[in-house]
Every structure is written in C-alpha cells, then in structure tokens.
Amino acid sequence: MDAEGPPTLCDLCLAQVCQSLSSLCSMRADGSMSLIWAPVFPQETADQLLNHMAAKEILNDTTVGIFRSCKELRLRRASIQSCPLSAEAFRLALCPHRLLELDASWVSGGLTGADIVSGLASNPECRSSLQRLSLNGLHLDWESLEANGGIHVGFSSLQGLRMLKLANTDLNDAALEDICNLPHLETLDISCSAISKLTALLECKNTLRSLIAHRQRHLDMSPAQLLFVFSQLHALKHLDFSEDHFSVDDSDGRGGDETVRQLLEGTPQVLPSLVSLDISGRKRISEAAIRSFVESRSGLVFLGLLATGVSSCDFFSTQKSLKVTGEADENQVCEALRRYRDRECFIREALVHLYSLTTDTDKPQPDVLKLVVSGMQRHPTSLHIHLVATACVFNLTTQDLAQAMPISLLSSTVTQLLNTMKNFPNHQQVQKNCLLALCSDYILQEVPFDKYLAAMLVINWLSSHEDPTLQRMAVAVISILVAKLSTEEMAQFSKDIFIMKQLLAIVQQKAMVGVVDSTLKFALSALWNLTDEMPVAARNFIECRGLELYEEVLESYYTEPSIQQKVLGLLNNIAEVEELQADLMEEDILEHILSLLQDSQVDVGVRYFAGGILAHLASRPDAWTLENELRSTVLKQLHDSIMTWTHLEREMVSYRSFHPFCPLLQTCQPAGVQLWAVWAIHLVCTQNTSHYSSMLEKEGLTELLKALAAHPSTHSDIKGLSDSVLSMVEKHQIHAGAFNNQTAPQRS
C-alpha cells in the first residue's frame, strides 16, 4: 500500500472545484471571476482553496476574483507564492480580508512589496491582525511607500507583524530601520539583501528571537561592530549567519568569517541562550572553537556546518540531541536537504555528498528520495543541482529499491525526471542519468506518469546520440512505453515519420553487421507495437523502405526465432490493413513466409505469425494478385500446419482488440483462414481468460464464434476450438456473476 495514502475527501473536492471554476463562475466587467453561488465556506477551507489554486498554477488576475466575496470565502492564512498577480487584483481580492498570514514570495505580474504593504495597510483590521508576511524574491520598491493622507504606510504600519521574510529583495538600510520599529517583531529574514548596517536591529533587541542573515555580501561593518550588535540581541535564540561558499572568493566574506570566529571563540556571555546557529559556508573555523561553543551553551539543538570542513568532528558523536548539517554522514546531509530547500548553493553541496553516500546502498530510502525530488522541484533551472540529483535518483531507485517505494513518490520522481529532460535537452550527462533511472521494468510498467511525453523525449534524445550503451537503454525504454500508450496517444505518436526512421535506422545498423543484441530486439519490439492497429504507422513503415529491410532481416536471422517473431509480428500488422496488403503481394517474400509455416523444425511462435500474415492475405480472393495455385497451397498448408502446433504456455502475443479478426471469422472464409483466427483467439483466452473473454463479449466476437460453430460447412477442427473458446467465456461469466453476487451489498 502507498505509504502516503489516498487523497482526503477535502482535497478531492477542492481539486474538483479548481477544475470546474469556469462553470461555477460568471465574469465581471473587469474580466475577473465571481462565483455564481457559494455557501459560507468553513474558514480553513477557504484558505485551502486558495492554496490549491496556487499549487495548480491557476491563480491569476482572473481567478483570484472569487475571493472578493469576503463573506463566503474568508481568508486568514493566504499563500499566493509564485502566482502572476497585478497590484489591482491583489488589492481587490486579498486586502479586504482580516489576514493573519500572507506568503507572497516570488509573485510575478508586476506586484511589488510596496503594493502589498500599502494594500494591506489600507485595511484597518489587517494593520493589527497580520502576524506573518513573506515577500521573498520581490522588488520592494521602497521609495514609492509614501505618507498617504498623513498616515505612514511602511512596514511599521503593520503593527501586528511578528514574522517578516524579505530574502532576495532590494531591502536597504532605511527600510530596515522602519522594520525594526515593529513592536512585536520576533523573526526577521534579510538574506541576500542590500543592507550595509545591522545597527537598526538594536531597536528590536528585546523582541527579536530569530535572525536569518544568509549571504550578507553588502555589509560594511567590522567584526567588532557586528559582534557588538549580536551581543545586544538579548532575546535571540536562532541566528543564521551562513555564506554561499560557491560564489565567495578569498577576499569576500572575510569580515563575516572573522565575526564568526570571534563569536565561537569568545565569551559565553554573547548569545548565551542561543538554540540554533547556522554558519554553513564559513571559512577558518576550528574544531576546538566549535567544541567550546557547544559545551558552553547547553540549550543548543542545531548547528549548521555544511561546507565548513568541521562537521566530521568526533565530538558530535556524544551530542545526541544536537542536529547538525554537514557532510560527515547521511543524517547530516539529509538535515541539510531539509533545512536549505531554497538555497541552491547548499542543496548542490549536500547532493554531491549524498551521491557518494548512496552509491552502494541496498536499503530503500523513500524519505531521502523525497528530499532529492524536492530539491529538483525548488530549483528547476539549476544545472548543477539536476546533474547531481538525477544521479542520486538512480542510486536510490536502482535494481529492486524502487519496488519498496510508495507509488505516488515514484510517480512524482519520474515526472520530475521528465521535466529535467525537457529543461536540459543538450546536456548529455543529465540525459544519461535520467535514462538510467527510467530504464527500470518496474517503473515503466507499474508507475503512473506521462508515458507519451516520456516516449517523445527519449526518441528526440536518441536522434542525436549514438553511444551504444545509451542507445540500448533509450530503445528499451521506448519499446516498453509504446506498448503503454493509449489508442489516442499511439495514433498521435505513430504519425511522426521521424520516429519510424529513427527505429529503422537502428535495425539497419545492427542488421548490417549481423549482430543479435538487446538493442536490436528492443527496436523491433518498438516497431511492432508502433504499427499495432495503426495504419498510418504501417504506411510510414512501407514508405521508409521497411519492407525491404525486413525481408533481409528474415533471411539473415533464419536461426533466431526471437528476431523472426518480432519481424513477422510487424508484417502481421501490415497484413491486417486492407489497403496495404498489395505491398505484401510479392511471390518471393510470401514463399519464404510459407516455408516458415511449413517447417516443423521452426519455433511454433514463428510459424504462428507466418500463418497470420498468410491468413489475412488469403482471406480476400479479390485482392489476391499472385497465382491462384499459390493461394490454394497457402490455405491447405495453413490448416495442415496449425493442427500440428502444440499449446504454448508462455505469453507470446497480446492484442489491443479483436477487430482485425472479424473478417477472418466469417462463415464464407476458407477453413485455413478460420482455423488460424480461432486458434489465435483460443491461445490468448487460455493465457488470460478474464481479459480476453470480456473483450470478446464487448466486441461481438462471441456471436461470430457461435455462428461459425453452428454453420453446417464449418470444419470440425474449427467447431471444436470455437466451442472451447465459448465454454471459457461462459465459465468466466458464471464466475464473475457469482463473485458479484457475493460482494453485492445485502438489503435487510
């Protein structure tokens, strides 16, 4: 069972609302949506609906309009992260609500931090109710925040704020001074900003409990000045003063590094109540200083030491309650992946170490895989991350490991691999890593994902790469995916003659040197599946001179039944298409196929497909263009040969439908044609009674078999097989009916 369980009823209902918005809404004059009718939503459900719309990427200026109905949809904790919203749409839809929390990080559409702050401040309730505000990644446009009617509308106007996140913004010293006037400010994130001085923090020294100041590249303060500010933050329990070690050179960050060194080696009276300290990426840190710092602060529960070179200190083995990010072991690396989800530099570093740690793993680790996929999702454009992450995915899903993973996790993992293939089409190692991870029977057969997209990505990649190992994997993946496509997807896929050319080129390449390997077999299987009940693909095959190539393959691989079956299977597909049968009316090839049918030393599977081709061609006397004597021989040999075939236990063939058999089962057909069709149906029904019995019923073939069995001129061999098939169908119906009766609810 999937460890994550099925979606909740609430999630299913919200998903349905999201999918049906256009039918549930009318349009206002300004182009925004308004619910035609809505009950008063439970407050939490309104928040969840907004979050669902944002997660499904359908929240925009048009759809956000439904939240103008403040009575029915009351928002308290709103997330519009990464959504394209304009200032006007935000003001009309979200500002009237009495919000407690708002996450507007990385919104697009021109919405600035100034727009958000002034909009929220325009609602007197929001000025006091809003406690948590995230504006990471936005242009703040601080200069546009002006007094409006004598009322200041800066950050300090939102007097209820306790948490403010402004990472990756143009936050400056003036704005920080305004922020530090907030009376209840407890958590502040100023990472990657333009601040040069931290002295303003002294204004909130008695309330500030958490300061996140990662990568402060513009700071213009001496170590002594920085340390003084930190020492005055009496309420501070969480300090993040980490650095991006990839983008800093020896001359950058020295002030910060020296500040950290002095903090670690200094008096315990500085930040004595610290619970967590993150100095990942900092240089010139000694193990002795770390030991001294930790021992003097008994309340410390977290220490960030990734890319510092000291996370492998033996001292940590005695600190059971202390969590550490680093590279010493898998626990430290996974802690880094959890804590640094939005920091590319640290995710990249952690993944490099995770790859080494998981190279020879033999235990399933779904939690670790989830962390890797999350890192890929958070950083879709980072080549560095995807290069290492895809290698980690392979390590974590290789061999039997995938089978112990939750299906939903594997599904999201494969979806992410496909996104990676789309985003980095020209990077060979990334593509190779994705192929390695995809080339798993279990994943390809059992895990739900967009198989059409996968097939297109792999075939496009195959066109520009000739590495034998990668070619084998790519063709193997395609051969399985093609068989998994829906009829509609297959029709779309088979229209592309480029795909046919690619696969035929591989067959020709292998046939020229007479090699028998898995790449050849996978290519032949893919072509066979590609032409199955797909006349367009069959026509493309002929136009690409596939018939001539297959004649050569049939002759040169005479002693290889596995190759011959796949070749003859495709020719069967062509023979099923009436308008293409003329292309097969060549005496040389038909006599060769007839010789395979007659030869008792040839594998039954080969003779079966040879018989199928001949049965289809001989079933239409008006279209037969060769000597009638040859047709008579074909019909006689069909009957004589089939009666010598032994029953096959192994599954040799599967059918999308029985439609191609309908013309062969008519009572006017020659006995040889009828016998092959009935023998084929009997074969697959014996091997998978449930599936094919239902197909026979649904497609009306049971009626054809009954008519055939009842017709006075039908050969006794055919009657016997027909009766056997009908008996199987009847038994299946009885069994299915009995099962349904047993499981049906009983009325009292």
Side-chain angles (χ1 to χ4, degrees):
M1 178 179 288
D2 198 325
E4 297 186 356
T8 65
L9 180 59
C10 181
D11 286 339
L12 291 171
C13 292
L14 290 171
Q16 185 60 42
V17 171
C18 290
Q19 190 176 337
S20 309
L21 270 182
S22 57
S23 59
L24 295 172
C25 295
S26 58
M27 302 298 288
R28 297 187 181 93
D30 64 0
S32 64
M33 283 183 170
S34 173
L35 287 170
I36 297 170
W37 175 87
V40 176
F41 274 54
Q43 191 280 306
E44 288 184 359
T45 307
D47 291 342
Q48 289 172 336
L49 176 59
L50 180 73
N51 293 341
H52 264 69
M53 291 171 66
K56 290 182 177 294
E57 300 181 356
I58 60 169
L59 191 68
N60 50 44
D61 281 6
T62 300
T63 58
V64 77
I66 67 172
F67 293 98
R68 294 187 197 177
S69 305
C70 297
K71 292 182 179 179
E72 292 81 14
L73 295 168
R74 297 161 296 157
L75 296 174
R76 294 293 179 268
R77 293 173 174 82
S79 174
I80 56 173
Q81 189 176 135
S82 302
C83 296
L85 291 179
S86 66
E88 183 69 3
F90 173 80
R91 183 182 65 80
L92 292 172
L94 294 179
C95 293
H97 295 269
R98 190 174 182 272
L99 295 175
L100 298 174
E101 301 176 11
L102 173 64
D103 185 351
S105 300
W106 304 101
V107 293
S108 55
L111 186 62
T112 67
D115 295 328
I116 291 172
V117 171
S118 60
L120 294 171
S122 68
N123 180 349
E125 288 189 316
C126 258
R127 295 169 76 98
S128 58
S129 69
L130 191 68
Q131 298 180 15
R132 301 165 70 89
L133 178 61
S134 297
L135 302 178
N136 297 332
L138 291 193
H139 173 47
L140 295 182
D141 194 21
W142 171 256
E143 291 74 17
S144 71
L145 280 174
E146 301 172 347
N148 183 9
I151 302 174
H152 182 66
V153 290
F155 285 104
S156 60
S157 63
L158 302 173
Q159 291 282 292
L161 275 181
R162 294 178 179 273
M163 184 206 80
L164 182 58
K165 293 189 174 184
L166 298 168
N168 296 285
T169 66
D170 52 341
L171 178 69
N172 57 29
D173 293 342
L176 182 61
E177 288 181 13
D178 179 63
I179 288 165
C180 290
N181 288 318
L182 289 165
H184 307 294
L185 187 64
E186 296 178 355
T187 299
L188 178 62
D189 187 349
I190 54 174
S191 300
C192 306
S193 63
I195 291 172
S196 64
K197 303 289 183 184
L198 294 182
T199 48
L201 295 175
L202 297 174
E203 296 298 319
C204 54
K205 64 182 181 180
N206 294 320
T207 62
L208 193 64
R209 295 166 57 84
S210 177
L211 174 63
I212 306 167
H214 168 71
R215 197 184 175 191
Q216 288 301 300
R217 201 57 57 80
H218 299 280
L219 276 183
D220 184 21
M221 298 177 71
S222 68
Q225 291 172 324
L226 278 170
L227 208 57
F228 173 75
V229 171
F230 289 156
S231 69
Q232 297 301 302
L233 302 179
H234 304 307
L236 199 68
K237 291 185 177 295
H238 307 275
L239 174 61
D240 181 345
F241 199 54
S242 57
E243 180 57 275
D244 180 351
H245 59 300
F246 282 119
S247 61
V248 66
D249 59 34
D250 291 339
S251 62
D252 288 335
R254 282 185 175 178
D257 290 344
E258 180 60 20
T259 302
V260 169
R261 188 190 68 77
Q262 292 184 21
L263 172 64
L264 294 174
E265 297 177 359
T267 172
Q269 274 67 51
V270 176
L271 302 177
S273 303
L274 213 58
V275 171
S276 74
L277 174 66
D278 198 332
I279 51 175
S280 290
R282 290 293 178 185
K283 300 174 181 177
R284 296 185 285 277
I285 299 171
S286 69
E287 291 188 5
I290 290 290
R291 178 190 292 267
S292 173
F293 185 85
V294 173
E295 287 179 339
S296 64
R297 290 164 178 79
S298 58
L300 203 67
V301 297
F302 170 70
L303 194 56
L305 295 175
L306 185 68
T308 61
V310 295
S311 66
S312 56
C313 178
D314 293 339
F315 167 69
F316 292 130
S317 62
T318 64
Q319 305 295 308
K320 302 300 183 186
S321 61
L322 182 65
K323 290 188 175 181
V324 178
T325 58
E327 53 274 341
D329 57 38
E330 200 169 288
N331 288 332
Q332 288 188 5
V333 171
C334 288
E335 190 67 28
L337 290 172
R338 270 189 289 272
R339 287 182 179 263
Y340 302 138
R341 289 179 299 175
D342 294 322
R343 294 183 185 171
E344 179 184 355
C345 59
F346 292 157
I347 292 293
R348 175 181 167 186
E349 178 78 13
L351 287 170
V352 168
H353 295 288
L354 181 67
Y355 174 73
S356 299
L357 290 166
T358 57
T359 297
D360 297 315
T361 188
D362 58 357
K363 63 174 183 177
Q365 300 176 86
D367 292 340
V368 178
L369 180 60
K370 190 180 295 185
L371 290 171
V372 174
V373 174
S374 174
M376 297 169 75
Q377 292 169 338
R378 292 269 182 163
H379 305 278
T381 60
S382 171
L383 172 61
H384 294 297
I385 283 180
H386 286 262
L387 180 59
V388 189
T390 50
C392 291
V393 168
F394 172 71
N395 283 352
L396 293 165
T397 58
T398 189
Q399 297 178 2
D400 297 331
L401 294 177
Q403 297 184 35
M405 299 283 187
I407 288 289
S408 62
L409 174 59
L410 288 175
S411 180
S412 62
T413 300
V414 175
T415 299
Q416 183 54 56
L417 289 175
L418 299 182
N419 288 335
T420 299
M421 292 182 76
K422 279 195 296 184
N423 292 338
F424 305 100
N426 300 317
H427 196 283
Q428 180 160 337
Q429 190 60 50
V430 169
Q431 296 287 324
K432 179 179 179 179
N433 292 348
C434 292
L435 272 177
L436 282 166
L438 282 174
C439 200
S440 156
D441 274 344
Y442 179 75
I443 288 175
L444 294 173
Q445 300 282 4
E446 304 298 335
V447 177
F449 60 92
D450 188 341
K451 294 182 171 61
Y452 178 81
L453 172 62
M456 290 302 298
L457 287 170
V458 176
I459 198 76
N460 287 333
W461 181 88
L462 187 62
S463 66
S464 55
H465 296 84
E466 294 184 358
D467 179 276
T469 303
L470 299 184
Q471 187 186 71
R472 177 185 59 79
M473 288 192 299
V475 176
V477 170
I478 292 169
S479 70
I480 294 174
L481 290 176
V482 167
K484 293 288 182 180
L485 298 181
S486 68
T487 303
E488 294 76 16
E489 290 171 334
M490 180 67 90
Q492 188 65 30
F493 194 73
S494 64
K495 286 180 183 177
D496 194 342
I497 199 167
F498 166 77
I499 296 170
M500 185 66 66
K501 288 179 178 178
Q502 284 294 119
L503 294 171
L504 283 173
I506 293 170
V507 173
Q508 186 169 32
Q509 175 190 350
K510 297 295 180 180
M512 284 176 65
V513 292
V515 69
V516 179
D517 63 8
S518 56
T519 304
L520 174 61
K521 292 179 180 179
F522 285 133
L524 291 171
S525 293
L527 286 163
W528 186 4
N529 285 320
L530 192 60
T531 54
D532 184 17
E533 293 192 45
M534 291 294 152
V536 173
R539 168 56 65 191
N540 287 343
F541 175 84
I542 292 170
E543 290 180 359
C544 293
R545 301 188 64 80
L547 274 179
E548 292 86 341
L549 174 60
Y550 268 42
E551 283 186 56
E552 295 174 12
V553 172
L554 265 183
E555 293 176 3
S556 55
Y557 289 89
Y558 189 83
T559 59
E560 296 292 339
S562 62
I563 302 295
Q564 287 190 309
Q565 278 189 35
K566 299 177 193 304
V567 170
L568 293 169
L570 183 143
L571 297 181
N572 250 291
N573 292 341
I574 293 176
E576 290 172 2
V577 183
E578 289 188 358
E579 59 268 27
L580 300 181
Q581 288 177 350
D583 291 280
L584 292 172
M585 288 291 180
E586 291 187 14
E587 192 168 344
D588 288 345
I589 190 171
L590 288 194
E591 287 186 345
H592 183 77
I593 293 172
L594 180 59
S595 70
L596 293 175
L597 174 71
Q598 294 171 310
D599 192 343
S600 60
Q601 302 302 310
V602 172
D603 185 87
V604 172
V606 174
R607 300 171 76 191
Y608 169 83
F609 290 112
I613 298 166
L614 297 171
H616 281 287
L617 296 179
S619 67
R620 298 178 63 222
D622 294 343
W624 185 271
T625 58
L626 301 176
E627 293 292 332
N628 286 330
E629 184 181 348
L630 178 58
R631 180 171 179 268
S632 300
T633 303
V634 164
L635 293 172
K636 182 178 187 307
Q637 290 302 321
L638 271 173
H639 199 132
D640 293 347
S641 178
I642 292 170
M643 294 312 299
T644 68
W645 294 352
T646 55
H647 179 72
L648 296 173
E649 295 296 335
R650 61 183 173 86
E651 186 171 330
M652 181 182 62
V653 64
S654 62
Y655 290 104
R656 288 180 181 269
S657 78
F658 283 130
H659 293 310
F661 288 78
C662 292
L664 311 185
L665 293 172
Q666 302 301 318
T667 55
C668 60
Q669 287 289 2
V673 171
Q674 296 171 339
L675 183 60
W676 182 86
V678 177
W679 197 94
I681 293 170
H682 186 272
L683 171 67
V684 293
C685 283
T686 304
Q687 293 172 341
N688 192 343
T689 306
S690 172
H691 175 69
Y692 288 110
S693 291
S694 301
M695 189 187 290
L696 284 169
E697 279 289 310
K698 182 179 179 181
E699 296 178 3
L701 266 79
T702 49
E703 296 305 314
L704 289 177
L705 289 171
K706 288 176 183 177
L708 199 58
H711 199 276
S713 63
T714 300
H715 195 285
S716 59
D717 295 333
I718 300 167
K719 285 186 177 182
L721 278 175
S722 298
D723 287 336
S724 179
V725 172
L726 292 169
S727 177
M728 280 189 276
V729 173
E730 186 178 356
K731 287 178 181 177
H732 169 71
Q733 290 173 333
I734 293 171
H735 175 74
F739 177 79
N740 290 336
N741 289 335
Q742 288 173 3
T743 56
Q746 300 295 312
R747 293 183 179 179
S748 56

